[in-house]
Amino acid sequence: MAQGARRTVVQVVAVVALAAAVTVFLSVAAVRHGFFDLQVYYGALTYWARDGGEIYDFLRPGTQYGFTYPPFAALVMLPMAYLPWNAAIVVSVTATVLASAAVIWRLLDPVARRSGWTRWFALAVALCLAAAYEPMRETVNFGQVNMLLLFLVAVDLLWLLPARSRWAGVGIGLATAIKLTPGIFIVYLLVTGRWRAALTTAGTAAVATLVAAGLFPDASREFWTEALWNTDRVGELAFVSNQSLRGVVARLDPQHPSTVAWLVLVLLTLVVWAWRSRAAVAAGDEATGLALTGAVMCLVSPVTWVHHLVWLLPGLILLVDNGMAAPARSRRRRLLLGAASIGYALLCSRIVWSWEKDFTGVDGFLGSNTYVWISLALLLGLPIRRWLTPGGGERRGDDVPAGSAAAGVPQLAEQDRGEPAGQRHRVGGLLAVR
């Protein structure tokens, strides 16, 4: 058998073995939620479109949970009301898988090329590992829309914006109109000086919202004046699944959580994020800008359920990217790959649920907020690298797509390959060429 064919057989066997191992792991570790959130969407849309009720009046029987997204999200999801329930499940799962594959491929493909990995094999392994990732499996089991929103944002930041497309910003605008939290990416564009894209984003979100208001005035009025402000519809802030700074503060004193303390933490976090995001874009590292903003969104949002932490996936992938870019057997490579492995393992482990009923004491404070610490670690420590243009000069974030040098493979600046460089300075905690 030829060496290439032998390698392919070994890789196929490895993928099958990994998929089997992940399946066994999921059968033991994954919690079955019965597509709970999808049932809320499906029930609310059916009640609204087919039974003549108001969408925001619907509550899933026996719970306080109702439809919490803006009316434009209801417009996008409206066809679901006319599908059989099992078909709605198939559409939800398929859309999540395809969106996940596209985002992971875009972030991982440059690493595979630069490292000499077989590209299909790298993607297959990554998808298997993603299936075991708790936020991802929670997204699928709840029937959530998280990966679809991440995909829309990634289309702008990883494809359209680096290519200077006039459509850059449309994806973020649509994501913001569907669910308000991706609106922080509008702030990201403003902080990093991409005014045209920010205007496109805000315009897209506004037009989508106005279209929904024109079609569904009663639903829009109820959402913006009542449903949006009804926090009882989303759950308890101190619940251990809320892995945001607000959740940390709420778990310190569930009866009287300090709003002032939370706002101070949010302000400090945003200052760090703005500084690091500007550094990332100045260095041409748009992918890190995406990862930093995803992490800060999870931190500053009042409610960040575990399934929302799919926004940390880009950061974990970029840790692997930076680790593989470091010299073989170097301390930097061991540190970055070790950090990625530990973060990933913790985010697969359901560790925070060990303190679901009692999060008091030092161990409760540290353990119940484990995923918050990972978000903070990514915000503070995710490397920022300068890239080189095909001609050998440095490039900025608005020049060409990050990760697409002459042969489509990122060419790292000298210090990111661990080689001697000229005068250096610190950017976002990492060395960069001046």
Side-chain angles (χ1 to χ4, degrees):
M1 183 183 295
Q3 183 176 356
R6 187 180 302 110
R7 182 187 187 190
T8 299
V9 170
V10 170
Q11 290 175 336
V12 169
V13 171
V15 169
V16 171
L18 178 60
V22 169
T23 300
V24 172
F25 172 76
L26 293 177
S27 69
V28 175
V31 176
R32 302 292 186 268
H33 299 293
F35 299 97
F36 182 95
D37 290 0
L38 188 63
Q39 287 184 29
V40 173
Y41 308 153
Y42 188 82
L45 291 164
T46 301
Y47 177 70
W48 181 45
R50 299 171 62 181
D51 298 339
E54 285 294 339
I55 189 168
Y56 296 108
D57 292 341
F58 174 85
L59 294 179
R60 187 177 186 274
T63 75
Q64 79 274 30
Y65 297 108
F67 195 84
T68 58
Y69 295 166
F72 181 71
L75 175 61
V76 172
M77 297 181 186
L78 188 57
M80 185 190 304
Y82 301 96
L83 292 177
W85 168 241
N86 288 335
I89 293 175
V90 170
V91 170
S92 173
V93 173
T94 301
T96 295
V97 170
L98 292 177
S100 303
V103 173
I104 291 172
W105 176 253
R106 179 63 184 84
L107 292 168
L108 189 63
D109 186 50
V111 193
R113 293 204 213 180
R114 197 172 56 243
S115 302
W117 300 340
T118 305
R119 294 161 71 194
W120 74 264
F121 177 69
L123 178 63
V125 169
L127 290 176
C128 287
L129 296 177
Y133 182 66
E134 184 181 356
M136 182 69 77
R137 63 185 194 243
E138 292 280 285
T139 287
V140 173
N141 285 328
F142 273 116
Q144 264 285 345
V145 299
N146 305 305
M147 283 307 303
L148 302 179
L149 300 178
L150 176 52
F151 171 75
L152 287 173
V153 172
V155 166
D156 273 346
L157 298 189
L158 301 183
W159 279 281
L160 299 181
L161 190 62
R164 296 174 178 264
S165 170
R166 70 179 63 182
W167 299 103
V170 171
I172 296 172
L174 291 174
T176 302
I178 292 170
K179 187 175 182 178
L180 299 180
T181 48
I184 194 169
F185 284 92
I186 302 178
V187 184
Y188 168 72
L189 293 173
L190 292 172
V191 165
T192 54
R194 272 74 68 81
W195 309 107
R196 177 176 174 176
L199 183 61
T200 300
T201 297
T204 300
V207 168
T209 300
L210 290 174
V211 167
L215 293 173
F216 316 119
D218 292 338
S220 295
R221 187 181 308 109
E222 183 171 356
F223 175 79
W224 295 108
T225 61
E226 296 182 30
L228 175 62
W229 313 104
N230 184 359
T231 57
D232 291 338
R233 297 167 67 91
V234 297
E236 175 60 41
L237 290 175
F239 184 42
V240 75
S241 182
N242 185 12
Q243 291 292 302
S244 69
L245 293 173
R246 185 63 161 156
V248 173
V249 172
R251 282 186 285 277
L252 288 174
D253 185 0
Q255 299 304 316
H256 305 285
S258 173
T259 300
V260 173
W262 172 57
L263 290 176
V264 169
L265 289 174
V266 166
L267 179 60
L268 292 174
T269 302
L270 289 174
V271 169
V272 173
W273 162 74
W275 165 59
R276 298 214 71 213
S277 294
R278 287 175 61 86
V281 170
D285 197 352
E286 198 74 67
T288 296
L290 165 64
L292 293 174
T293 307
V296 85
M297 182 177 70
C298 294
L299 289 167
V300 304
S301 174
V303 176
T304 298
W305 302 134
V306 168
H307 56 77
H308 294 149
L309 296 175
V310 294
W311 289 92
L312 300 185
L313 261 180
L316 294 175
I317 294 173
L318 290 174
L319 280 179
V320 174
D321 186 348
N322 282 275
M324 294 305 299
R329 294 183 296 278
S330 67
R331 181 174 178 271
R332 177 182 173 85
R333 174 175 284 201
R334 291 195 301 271
L335 177 64
L336 292 173
L337 294 182
S341 299
I342 292 170
Y344 169 78
L346 289 173
L347 282 162
C348 289
S349 67
R350 288 184 53 83
I351 188 172
V352 298
W353 298 98
S354 300
W355 290 272
E356 179 180 4
K357 299 186 183 301
D358 182 9
F359 38 74
T360 59
V362 175
D363 67 313
F365 175 73
L366 296 176
S368 69
N369 300 308
T370 298
Y371 301 164
V372 179
W373 311 142
I374 295 174
S375 297
L376 282 170
L378 288 172
L379 177 64
L380 294 171
L382 189 62
I384 294 171
R385 293 175 293 170
R386 285 192 188 275
W387 301 97
L388 300 180
T389 64
E394 295 173 28
R395 85 165 173 250
R396 299 177 59 82
D398 54 1
D399 289 339
V400 287
S404 60
V409 185
Q411 305 297 314
L412 303 183
E414 289 177 345
Q415 76 281 358
D416 292 310
R417 297 196 301 265
E419 300 171 6
Q423 187 178 5
R424 303 175 181 178
H425 69 292
R426 294 274 176 181
V427 174
L430 293 177
L431 288 172
V433 175
R434 190 181 296 276

